[in-house]
Amino acid sequence: MSETRDEPPATPYHPEEMKATWDLKIGKSISLQGTARWTPAGVVTAGIATSAILLALAAVMRARR
């Protein structure tokens, strides 16, 4: 039988990740909180997706003429 453990792994999944948190208060009744996580793999993936979208957009614009 396998045994399950609730302990986190010894090494983090992304040791190079960066995290940011912020709080924004506007007046007395509005309060906003946010967090962000950034990894190099995420930046590469976003770059590939952006390139694919721009390439498709260029093809549509060329076909439109």
Side-chain angles (χ1 to χ4, degrees):
M1 222 181 234
S2 65
E3 194 174 307
T4 60
R5 296 162 71 184
D6 292 333
E7 297 175 12
T11 58
Y13 294 108
H14 295 286
E16 65 277 348
E17 76 179 358
M18 295 181 177
K19 292 183 179 180
T21 59
W22 62 89
D23 295 326
L24 176 65
K25 293 185 180 185
I26 302 172
K28 293 180 181 179
S29 60
I30 299 174
S31 176
L32 302 172
Q33 297 177 342
T35 60
R37 188 181 83 138
W38 176 87
T39 62
V43 172
V44 170
T45 303
I48 292 170
T50 302
S51 298
I53 290 169
L54 291 175
L55 183 63
L57 184 61
V60 168
M61 295 303 282
R62 183 173 289 172
R64 184 175 173 211
R65 291 181 187 175

